Amino acid sequence: MYRIVEKRALNPTVILMTVEAPLVARRCEPGQFVIVRADENGERIPLTVADFDRNRGTVTIIFQLVGASTLALSRLNEGESVHDFAGPLGRPTHTEGLKKVAVVGGGVGCAIAYPVAKKLHEQGTVVHSVTGFRTKDLVILEDEFAAVSDKVCRVSDDGSWGEKGLVTDALKQLIESGEKYDEVITIGPLIMMKFVCRLTKEYGIKTVASMNPIMIDGTGMCGGCRLTVGGQTRFACVDGPEFDGHEIDFDEAMARGGAYKAFERHAYDEACALFREVK
Amino acid sequence: MPNMSPVKNPMPAQDPEVRAGNFQEVALGYSPETALDEAQRCLNCKQKFCVGGCPVKIDIPAFIHQVAEGDIEEAYRIISRSSSLPAVCGRVCPQESQCEGQCIRGKKGDPVGIGRLERFVADWHNAHAEGAVDQPASNGHRVAIVGSGPSGLTCAGDLAKKGYQVTVFEALHLAGGVLVYGIPEFRLPKAIVEKEIDGLRALGVEIQTNVIIGRTITVDELMAEYGFEAVFIGSGAGLPKFMSIPGENMNGVCSANEFLTRINLMKAYQPGAATPIQHGHKVAVVGGGNVAMDAARCARRLGAEVQIIYRRTEKELPARREEVEHAMEEGIRFSFLTNPVAILEGEKGWCGSIRVQHMELGEPDASGRRRPVPIEGSEEEIPADMVIMALGTSPNPLIKTTTEGLETQRWGGIVVEETTGKTSREGVYAGGDAVTGAATVILAMGAGKTAAAAIDEYLSGKTAGSDKSGEEPG
């Protein structure tokens, strides 16, 4: 059992949780993920490490309410425990030798982009952060990004926060204005990452995308997280979760991501109804 | 006077039509009367060929003799001297190619039902045993076991019985390895695995779940920082193989590992389970091993029409004969001499059919089996809204890539000295599928046993505790 030492809502559907997991905290690095089960009958869900404190032995996860399992996790409070918390899994983000990087995050993906930006900043890399949200109410980690970025670009779909537009618009402006990046790191919805990668390919800028496919064990056993990169099948859990964005078959990844949509929708509705009854 | 019937007492089983709709155990076990009758078929030979066929060298005639005498607890004691998991082995061992394959009675008629008797004894013990097990006095030496599958549990049990302080590290949230994520409930009820593991806990074995050795803690850290004097690696062969044919990443196509893990570990077949599972209507399972049979029989129980696609003939099927027979009884169809060449889309993004090519057997290959050769122009499409790939697995590279100086084969298996399980690193031993590639439960247990004996020899010459801090993880 892993005790929850902090829990707060970052916006109406995104929750931050800091969990006591000293063994994970000891080794985890930005880009890696953990497998979490809320309770003893829960589903194993992969969540990327959003922050960690090696001294306190804690790991922070940030997740969006998307289905019954994240809903169950969100019902747990400070002082209570999550049943299972295993990791760190996957390979850490490669940051070595990077001088100047644009970190492009979309929606709850910003929670994963943030520790990467932070690590880059701490090692002296020039960080330009481009963050995008649908609307102002959904914004998370605004101050945190500001603290670790040399330049901040904010966009929202409806213009209620920052510039109106998409992250690709903002990134294009930066590139067109003469900014030269060693690398672009992008984390967010698949459709967003697909277009970020399409844009950077035009300019020939190396781009890394962080994938978050369906997984069960997270250790290479099930193959559920497989995707096509450069024409080859790779496992996100052991070979990734980050891959060369110009080589990823995003359309296939999007189709695979929707494999259990009907089930999830049904389970989520049932779970919501159940909680309403309990209330 | 021995029972000279040439026929083995049949195993009572659930009716095929009924069991194809449930996940309860298929084989129901011998009654005491049947067990006694079967035990009397054993001639108690002097040569004990059967023992030679057993990877853990159970004194088979001795335990069967006790069954015939009616002292089942004594029979259990005899089995336990050699095996840590009798209730498991009685169910999943390929006895026909091991102990029973060597039985003299098998020369004229059926061999003695050794596996069925082993199961009877273990189940009887589990139902009747009472009281706590005596924990052996600690000898102060600490050993880490990586993985809680059959090899790890066996190694842990043998060492604990000798007084070692044993900690087992398991990557998943539940102990048991392939016994819990791979083998289905209807073949090996999980309550039985749990009971066997509880037995190890009672011996003082500590089990830490959610620890991925190679990621959470490395093998080097186990020894340098956590004070373990020896490590046994029994991490299994977990990585599923795919065929690299077009369409393989479509929705509806999965590895047998994924399908079985969802069902067995995550209980996705139960109504209201948190983990989803696809209920295919027409399911094609590719492969002919025990895992293919397990996947096919699970899919059948979820309501599908199931077809097994195998590129050789019935004779070459690597699965246990009993599993093949059970699968056939349950209405699973077999398409022999058939090999998939592509998976074709049905509904958008989902597989709809599998294109196969018919084969014929040519010259024998390296394995001694006749090589399947494609027949030109014999392609055919088989409708399938779900395709399960059961093509075997390879060792997980996590430990190999994070343990410096650990010698491995080209294909990933850890190199060991066969008689001891010793690896290229001092104090590090390995066994089971991590060494051999996908094999059987009992061979893994045999390897765990061998390594336990070697670790005992290695550490008994050393002073316990040494100068390490012995900090407890997690």
Side-chain angles (χ1 to χ4, degrees):
Chain A
M1 301 289 269
Y2 304 79
R3 205 166 66 92
I4 300 163
V5 295
E6 185 193 4
K7 177 195 171 188
R8 60 192 159 93
L10 298 184
N11 75 29
T13 63
V14 174
I15 288 165
L16 174 148
M17 227 176 227
T18 299
V19 177
E20 268 176 6
L23 288 180
V24 182
R26 199 170 142 264
R27 280 193 79 91
C28 66
E29 293 288 344
Q32 290 188 296
F33 65 94
V34 289
I35 292 273
V36 181
R37 279 203 326 152
D39 53 65
E40 65 171 337
N41 296 313
E43 189 182 9
R44 293 172 66 91
I45 52 172
L47 293 170
T48 306
V49 169
D51 208 349
F52 52 87
D53 184 330
R54 300 207 206 279
N55 294 328
R56 285 170 66 210
T58 59
V59 177
T60 301
I61 49 176
I62 294 177
F63 59 93
Q64 185 160 29
L65 296 180
V66 287
S69 295
T70 42
L71 187 66
L73 188 58
S74 76
R75 307 293 299 185
L76 298 173
N77 292 312
E78 280 179 16
E80 294 181 316
S81 295
V82 294
H83 201 276
D84 297 289
F85 197 92
L89 294 158
R91 295 166 186 259
T93 306
H94 173 81
T95 56
E96 218 175 295
L98 297 175
K99 300 268 184 295
K100 187 169 171 181
V101 171
V103 176
V104 183
V108 73
C110 290
I112 306 164
Y114 167 67
V116 176
K118 183 175 155 189
K119 181 168 182 188
L120 287 165
H121 175 74
E122 281 168 0
Q123 70 177 27
T125 304
V126 174
V127 176
H128 290 181
S129 63
V130 180
T131 50
F133 296 90
R134 279 212 318 278
T135 185
K136 189 172 191 304
D137 292 344
L138 301 179
V139 172
I140 59 171
L141 303 174
E142 179 173 354
D143 298 339
E144 286 85 346
F145 267 104
V148 299
S149 305
D150 297 273
K151 187 178 256 182
V152 178
C153 293
R154 302 180 174 122
V155 295
S156 57
D157 292 5
D158 61 1
S160 59
W161 182 75
E163 297 282 314
K164 182 175 157 83
L166 301 171
V167 290
T168 38
D169 301 331
L171 181 62
K172 187 171 179 167
Q173 265 181 28
L174 287 169
I175 299 168
E176 292 277 310
S177 72
E179 301 286 1
K180 295 262 184 282
Y181 300 111
D182 298 343
E183 195 171 300
V184 170
I185 298 175
T186 181
I187 304 166
L190 288 167
I191 187 80
M192 180 202 94
M193 294 196 287
K194 174 181 170 177
F195 283 100
V196 167
C197 293
R198 186 175 284 183
L199 174 76
T200 56
K201 196 168 184 179
E202 280 172 35
Y203 292 96
I205 306 167
K206 187 185 173 204
T207 302
V208 167
S210 177
M211 306 299 278
N212 188 18
I214 295 169
M215 285 182 194
I216 308 176
D217 61 290
T219 63
M221 234 177 61
C222 75
C225 67
R226 67 193 188 278
L227 71 164
T228 303
V229 183
Q232 295 209 328
T233 294
R234 308 290 297 275
F235 288 3
C237 65
V238 286
D239 301 323
E242 295 177 353
F243 294 97
D244 180 344
H246 297 152
E247 299 284 338
I248 296 170
D249 183 340
F250 280 105
D251 295 335
E252 180 190 272
M254 281 185 258
R256 289 187 63 78
Y260 290 98
K261 244 192 181 117
F263 176 94
E264 278 161 18
R265 175 47 50 196
H266 180 70
Y268 184 66
D269 289 347
E270 277 200 343
C272 289
L274 197 69
F275 284 129
R276 270 199 298 278
E277 274 171 34
V278 172
K279 269 187 184 170
Chain B
M1 182 63 202
N3 168 3
M4 291 314 289
S5 161
V7 185
K8 197 195 288 195
N9 276 287
M11 178 60 116
Q14 270 198 78
D15 181 77
E17 272 181 45
V18 175
R19 73 187 192 229
N22 70 47
F23 276 82
Q24 284 145 31
E25 190 167 19
V26 169
L28 302 171
Y30 277 169
S31 66
E33 295 73 32
T34 315
L36 175 67
D37 190 63
E38 187 63 28
Q40 286 167 342
R41 292 187 64 233
C42 176
L43 303 176
N44 210 346
C45 325
K46 281 230 158 56
Q47 295 87 345
K48 302 188 182 186
F49 291 116
C50 50
V51 180
C54 174
V56 298
K57 304 282 175 274
I58 293 172
D59 190 346
I60 293 162
F63 100 73
I64 293 181
H65 179 69
Q66 291 303 327
V67 177
E69 294 286 309
D71 191 347
I72 314 299
E73 200 47 45
E74 180 58 21
Y76 182 80
R77 223 182 46 78
I78 293 168
I79 297 174
S80 323
R81 282 207 300 257
S82 313
S83 168
S84 304
L85 310 166
V88 173
C89 290
R91 287 172 165 81
V92 303
C93 263
Q95 290 99 2
E96 69 264 32
S97 60
Q98 297 179 350
C99 51
E100 294 183 21
Q102 306 290 323
C103 177
I104 296 286
R105 295 296 308 263
K107 291 208 181 340
K108 276 187 193 160
D110 293 338
V112 175
I114 299 170
R116 293 169 185 182
L117 288 170
E118 181 184 22
R119 170 188 162 149
F120 169 77
V121 169
D123 288 357
W124 192 94
H125 168 82
N126 284 342
H128 295 86
E130 46 190 89
V133 195
D134 288 335
Q135 253 193 42
S138 168
N139 65 15
H141 289 293
R142 299 179 68 226
V143 180
I145 309 276
V146 182
S148 64
S151 73
L153 292 179
T154 302
C155 191
D158 277 19
L159 288 170
K161 283 178 200 159
K162 292 197 168 110
Y164 288 87
Q165 277 176 264
V166 181
T167 307
V168 179
F169 296 96
E170 167 56 47
L172 294 172
H173 58 265
L174 206 62
V178 74
L179 306 176
V180 299
Y181 77 72
I183 303 177
E185 179 77 18
F186 56 80
R187 207 146 76 74
L188 178 62
K190 299 310 147 220
I192 285 171
V193 180
E194 222 171 280
K195 192 126 194 173
E196 305 266 25
I197 291 170
D198 286 345
L200 291 180
R201 285 205 177 93
L203 278 173
V205 173
E206 188 199 348
I207 299 179
Q208 287 205 18
T209 53
N210 294 330
V211 178
I212 305 108
I213 299 300
R215 288 271 190 241
T216 318
I217 303 175
T218 63
V219 170
D220 289 296
E221 287 170 335
L222 284 176
M223 301 181 84
E225 293 177 33
Y226 292 99
F228 290 103
E229 297 158 84
V231 176
F232 173 77
I233 301 169
S235 50
L239 254 59
K241 290 180 185 156
F242 287 92
M243 296 188 80
S244 303
I245 56 173
E248 210 170 15
N249 291 350
M250 247 183 285
N251 285 339
V253 184
C254 67
S255 71
N257 260 10
E258 173 176 356
F259 185 65
L260 291 172
T261 302
R262 284 178 186 276
I263 290 174
N264 301 325
L265 179 70
M266 306 311 296
K267 305 278 173 257
Y269 65 90
Q270 291 173 352
T275 301
I277 183 95
Q278 189 195 343
H279 291 246
H281 297 289
K282 287 182 188 298
V283 175
V285 178
V286 183
N290 286 323
V291 174
M293 300 305 134
D294 285 346
R297 295 172 71 195
C298 282
R300 181 85 185 106
R301 282 161 172 74
L302 294 176
E305 253 178 58
V306 186
Q307 183 163 171
I308 284 180
I309 295 177
Y310 180 57
R311 63 198 185 122
R312 300 182 206 244
T313 71
E314 183 170 354
K315 219 175 77 199
E316 286 87 18
L317 279 172
R320 281 174 79 201
R321 190 65 224 162
E322 185 177 296
E323 309 309 326
V324 176
E325 278 163 15
H326 280 158
M328 287 176 168
E329 284 167 14
E330 288 163 16
I332 288 157
R333 285 182 302 134
F334 285 71
S335 183
F336 295 111
L337 291 168
T338 319
N339 199 36
V341 289
I343 292 159
L344 309 170
E345 193 169 11
E347 241 177 273
K348 197 178 157 27
W350 287 80
C351 75
S353 62
I354 178 164
R355 181 180 293 149
V356 298
Q357 181 160 47
H358 293 282
M359 316 289 277
E360 57 191 352
L361 290 184
E363 295 301 309
D365 63 11
S367 71
R369 296 179 300 178
R370 291 175 65 194
R371 187 195 305 274
V373 188
I375 303 171
E376 290 293 324
S378 66
E379 289 193 4
E380 182 196 359
E381 263 179 49
I382 298 174
D385 58 354
M386 185 172 194
V387 176
I388 301 171
M389 295 292 181
L391 307 157
T393 51
S394 50
N396 198 315
L398 272 183
I399 288 174
K400 175 184 86 173
T401 53
T402 55
T403 312
E404 221 171 294
L406 186 71
E407 205 184 313
T408 55
Q409 313 269 7
R410 251 277 260 319
W411 50 269
I414 300 170
V415 176
V416 299
E417 187 182 280
E418 208 179 312
T419 51
T420 59
K422 229 185 240 174
T423 69
S424 56
R425 283 282 308 267
E426 193 187 337
V428 180
Y429 297 74
D433 286 5
V435 168
T436 57
T440 60
V441 168
I442 187 71
L443 282 175
M445 288 180 54
K449 214 171 173 53
T450 301
I455 290 170
D456 178 42
E457 192 173 314
Y458 169 66
L459 290 181
S460 54
K462 289 191 158 193
T463 322
S466 64
D467 56 350
K468 308 277 169 52
S469 65
E471 179 196 345
E472 281 293 329

